[in-house]
Amino acid sequence: MQQVEALCGFEHGGSRKAGDKFGVTKRVAEQLASKGLVRVVGADPEKAAGTKSSASPAAQASQQTTAKKSNGGDQQKGSSAQ
């Protein structure tokens, strides 16, 4: 993201007047600047590449549990052999 300052009043994502500072993509900043509507004042510090995301960190996965291995017998639990 680029931080730009409006040089005159115009409409872009709402009404902008001279002196307004706002963030746009690098491509939009170049287009607006080429038309003489804004001057680029720098990268938007909140959206600059390499900065930490405001999203919460991922939670740690719980340990996977597995069923106990059977004894391999044909008997069901609770039944008695005869």
Side-chain angles (χ1 to χ4, degrees):
M1 292 288 276
Q2 296 284 312
Q3 187 74 13
V4 296
E5 181 179 356
L7 300 175
C8 59
F10 63 95
E11 292 288 324
H12 178 79
S15 183
R16 308 293 182 173
K17 57 186 173 188
D20 284 354
K21 292 183 181 176
F22 56 98
V24 294
T25 64
K26 184 175 180 178
R27 181 176 177 191
V28 171
E30 291 169 355
Q31 291 171 343
L32 293 172
S34 71
K35 304 262 190 238
L37 299 173
V38 300
R39 70 179 181 95
V40 177
V41 293
D44 187 348
E46 294 178 12
K47 304 287 184 186
T51 61
K52 281 190 140 188
S53 170
S54 64
S56 299
Q60 189 173 12
S62 59
Q63 187 174 11
Q64 185 177 8
T65 58
T66 58
K68 291 182 182 178
K69 186 175 181 177
S70 70
N71 291 330
D74 292 334
Q75 291 182 345
Q76 293 183 358
K77 192 174 187 179
S79 65
S80 58
Q82 294 187 0

